[in-house]
Amino acid sequence: MLMLVPCAARASEGGHEHGLGLVSAIGLAIIAASVLMLVFNALKLPALLAYIVSGLVMATVAGPLLGDSIEIMSHVSHLGLVFLLFIIGLEMDLRGILNLGTRTAMAVLLQAPIAIAAVLGLQFAANSLGVAIPGLGTQIPSFFYFAVACSLGSTAVVVKLLGDKFDLDSKAGKITVLTLIAQDIWAVLALSYVASMTGGEGVSIVLMLGGGLGAGVVLVLFSRYVMSRIMTSLAKSPDLMALVSIGWCFLCAQAFSLVGLSAEMGALVAGLTVGALPYHVEVLAKVSSLRDFFMALFFVALGMTLPMPSWNILLHALVLVLIVILVRLVLFTPTLFLSRLGPIVSFTVPINLAQISEFTLLLVPLGIAGKTLTTDQGAVISYGLMLSVVVTSFAVAHNYRIARLISRLVFVQRAVAPGAAAGTDVDASPGHGERADIVMLGFFINAEALTTEIKRTSPDLLQRILVIDYNLQNHNAIVEHGLRVAYGDISNPETLRHHGIAGARVVLSTISNTFLRGITNQDLADRVKHINPDALFIATADDERGATDLLGRGVFRAVVPPAHAAPVYMSAISDALSASDSVDRHDRADPEERVLEE
């Protein structure tokens, strides 16, 4: 661990000579963050902001007391990023991401270089005209830093916010995470470039990527043939299994660090390899608390490193944040549209990524030391990051609502046009004042069969049903059935609230736990009951035991398709046996009897 954060090794050497020791400084930081978090929570402000502000206050008020511990704490806090990427790997479904399609993958991989090139071009064009754009670089050596700041999102911030609202498994969530991973690759290249331009001992990019690929192959093979057996032998001891997994995480992180890549990328590979094992859930449960602690420390340390702002710096930082938002929407949204993802996802992903990456804070010291970036310019980027985190905290909480609003403003005519082009989603969501008597959560095989039956027996019921489904490819078919449809992830409580669960009379889940991802019918029943205690919830169970559990939770009815289909199968078997017996009797009869029967 000390190899990953070498400055921490000095904590015991002179911590008390130059201020509080590391342990005391961390304790003071967590206490301050806890107090401010209570205040910010009461004011309905995000916890991330409380962490950053507590760090800024501590550096201002108790900076001399903390001394060298601030720098050491900053290095130690990067363990939060290591644990964060490790957990992302544990939870990531690569098959689901790969199924997003080639066009989407290309849009995601090229997002960062396209944005960097566009912002660089904008700055060079303004410079040639003798114009200075507020919030961006004013001298050619600084242009690259601001271009990177405008192009890379924050993995730490976005994944935590999406995780808190259970939105990592949605299509927009998966594309967002995939984009962040791609950005990490471009970030490594940017760091290597800046290190070489500022006189650092940068590693050759080709050697670095080649070494990373080689290290990745070796680690994956070792995990498949050795780690899997070790984890199987420890299956009855979850504590040891979690400890070995954490050790594996740091081993992979160190391997990637040695070849010039980031420790976070190594942690991601470690998470992917452990996540492929059937025991990853136990590891996930035990590592999550470590991630939360070190991520809190990371943001406190981030606040400690920020310089005291001036009004001019804050104004330029605010303009930088606005430019970041415009870059995401203007440059990234069209490429997602070309991938045929539809307007909601195409707007939601850029909204999720509309912040400055904490990675830029690694570039700023290099730029200042190499005199390619001034102190004030570094402060603009740093406070822009802080302000963007605040904006993102609110934007991600309402990302689908904002995306839907932008979509309606941009596609006013298209929303009422008869028939949408293939590959686009039909915005058939009800308005904010509109409510449905019956809300159907998800649309799969059972739902389609039910809809066919409703059309045959009670077609007037169709207008009273609203379907909430995140698979945009289903939306056109749902609308063709005569149903209203709204985009949303049913595992997200905010989605249920936004689409009117509070006013529904009947809520229906036709998908059993076998096919649900990230949630169960039991969880849905609890969430619906919490939002609307008067709603009658109809759930789907895989077996009678599941039905009993659901009924115990107060659902109105639990449908068990296998059990309900059993009498039909039994009747079919009886009819088949009767028909078979009739054929046998006919075959055994004498020719004269057959003639008489005929």
Side-chain angles (χ1 to χ4, degrees):
M1 185 181 300
L2 294 181
M3 290 187 291
L4 295 175
V5 282
C7 289
R10 303 198 305 266
S12 60
E13 296 179 5
H16 295 284
E17 295 179 7
H18 304 285
L20 288 177
L22 178 61
V23 175
S24 299
I26 291 177
L28 185 61
I30 295 301
I31 292 172
S34 301
V35 173
L36 272 181
M37 188 172 63
L38 293 175
V39 176
F40 277 55
N41 184 61
L43 297 175
K44 305 297 183 182
L45 294 173
L48 293 178
L49 181 59
Y51 297 148
I52 296 175
V53 172
S54 64
L56 183 62
V57 171
M58 282 188 62
T60 304
V61 176
L65 179 63
L66 295 173
D68 294 341
S69 296
I70 293 180
E71 181 183 356
I72 300 172
M73 190 188 307
S74 178
H75 285 276
V76 173
S77 67
H78 279 77
L79 292 175
L81 294 178
V82 173
F83 282 120
L84 177 66
L85 269 295
F86 180 57
I87 288 180
I88 291 175
L90 287 174
E91 295 180 323
M92 188 177 297
D93 182 7
L94 283 179
R95 289 174 299 179
I97 292 178
L98 294 175
N99 288 337
L100 294 175
T102 304
R103 292 187 180 186
T104 304
M106 292 300 296
V108 163
L109 288 173
L110 296 178
Q111 178 270 326
I114 289 174
I116 290 175
V119 178
L120 279 175
L122 177 63
Q123 292 177 104
F124 276 109
N127 183 69
S128 64
L129 296 174
V131 178
I133 302 177
L136 294 180
T138 56
Q139 298 176 347
I140 292 178
S142 65
F143 287 174
F144 184 74
Y145 299 91
F146 285 92
V148 171
C150 292
S151 306
L152 304 181
S154 172
T155 301
V157 173
V158 175
V159 173
K160 186 177 191 316
L161 292 174
L162 291 179
D164 289 344
K165 65 176 296 187
F166 307 100
D167 198 23
L168 286 171
D169 290 330
S170 67
K171 177 168 287 190
K174 289 180 179 179
I175 296 174
T176 300
V177 172
L178 180 60
T179 305
L180 290 169
I181 294 172
Q183 288 178 354
D184 284 342
I185 298 173
W186 293 108
V188 171
L189 300 179
L191 179 59
S192 177
Y193 172 76
V194 170
S196 62
M197 292 298 293
T198 55
E201 298 178 357
V203 182
S204 168
I205 293 178
V206 175
L207 292 177
M208 183 172 53
L209 294 179
L213 180 61
V217 171
V218 171
L219 292 173
V220 169
L221 291 176
F222 183 85
S223 171
R224 180 175 181 179
Y225 295 105
V226 180
M227 273 294 294
S228 58
R229 297 182 180 181
I230 294 175
M231 297 293 281
T232 301
S233 67
L234 299 175
K236 294 183 179 180
S237 180
D239 292 335
L240 289 178
M241 190 163 51
L243 182 61
V244 171
S245 298
I246 294 174
W248 172 246
C249 168
F250 284 109
L251 176 63
C252 293
Q254 181 62 20
F256 272 71
S257 296
L258 291 176
V259 298
L261 295 172
S262 66
E264 290 82 1
M265 292 186 68
L268 176 65
V269 172
L272 289 171
T273 55
V274 175
L277 303 176
Y279 321 108
H280 70 278
V281 176
E282 292 289 340
V283 178
L284 180 64
K286 295 184 180 298
V287 178
S288 296
S289 57
L290 290 174
R291 174 203 59 185
D292 295 338
F293 172 80
F294 282 106
M295 284 306 300
L297 188 62
F298 173 81
F299 287 109
V300 172
L302 171 62
M304 289 181 178
T305 60
L306 295 178
M308 287 302 297
S310 64
W311 287 111
N312 185 57
I313 289 176
L314 289 178
L315 178 61
H316 280 74
L318 181 60
V319 175
L320 176 60
V321 173
L322 295 177
I323 294 174
V324 169
I325 296 173
L326 287 176
V327 167
R328 297 292 190 276
L329 291 174
V330 173
L331 298 180
F332 196 23
T333 297
T335 60
L336 295 177
F337 267 115
L338 292 176
S339 302
R340 298 182 179 180
L341 292 174
I344 303 301
V345 172
S346 298
F347 284 118
T348 300
V349 175
I351 290 170
N352 291 343
L353 297 169
Q355 72 287 139
I356 299 173
S357 172
E358 64 279 348
F359 171 81
T360 55
L361 298 183
L362 302 177
L363 297 179
V364 168
L366 291 176
I368 294 176
K371 297 182 180 180
T372 55
L373 198 68
T374 66
T375 303
D376 286 348
Q377 288 173 333
V380 169
I381 294 176
S382 298
Y383 276 97
L385 185 150
M386 180 177 174
L387 292 175
S388 68
V389 168
V390 177
V391 173
T392 299
S393 299
F394 291 103
V396 171
H398 306 284
N399 52 5
Y400 292 111
R401 185 177 302 176
I402 297 172
R404 190 174 293 105
L405 177 61
I406 297 175
S407 177
R408 288 175 178 171
L409 292 175
V410 175
F411 299 100
V412 174
Q413 295 180 354
R414 188 182 216 178
V416 297
T424 60
D425 51 16
V426 179
D427 189 7
S429 306
H432 293 294
E434 213 173 332
R435 290 293 180 264
D437 288 341
I438 305 170
V439 177
M440 187 182 297
L441 305 180
F443 196 86
F444 198 45
I445 298 173
N446 293 338
E448 188 161 11
L450 173 61
T451 302
T452 302
E453 180 66 14
I454 292 174
K455 290 167 66 176
R456 186 179 66 85
T457 59
S458 304
D460 58 316
L461 199 61
L462 295 174
Q463 295 301 317
R464 301 173 62 185
I465 300 175
L466 168 67
V467 179
I468 303 176
D469 191 84
Y470 80 94
N471 188 352
L472 296 174
Q473 296 179 354
N474 285 342
H475 283 207
N476 288 329
I478 295 171
V479 172
E480 289 176 0
H481 280 301
L483 299 171
R484 291 178 292 164
V485 60
Y487 175 87
D489 181 4
I490 61 174
S491 66
N492 184 1
E494 291 301 321
T495 296
L496 301 181
R497 291 189 181 94
H498 176 71
H499 291 305
I501 289 293
R505 296 172 59 186
V506 177
V507 181
L508 173 65
S509 170
T510 61
I511 306 175
S512 67
N513 293 347
T514 300
F515 299 102
L516 285 174
R517 293 293 180 267
I519 198 168
T520 64
N521 275 272
Q522 287 80 353
D523 295 332
L524 286 173
D526 292 341
R527 292 180 184 182
V528 169
K529 185 176 181 181
H530 177 73
I531 298 172
N532 183 0
D534 296 328
L536 301 180
F537 188 80
I538 301 174
T540 301
D542 291 306
D543 49 37
E544 294 293 348
R545 180 181 299 179
T548 302
D549 182 25
L550 287 166
L551 292 173
R553 293 173 181 264
V555 305
F556 177 73
R557 189 71 53 82
V559 179
V560 187
H564 294 171
V568 179
Y569 283 120
M570 195 64 211
S571 176
I573 291 173
S574 299
D575 292 344
L577 290 175
S578 298
S580 177
D581 289 342
S582 177
V583 171
D584 289 342
R585 286 195 302 269
H586 182 269
D587 291 340
R588 290 194 301 268
D590 293 333
E592 295 181 0
E593 294 179 354
R594 292 181 190 174
V595 173
L596 292 176
E597 289 179 2
E598 294 174 355

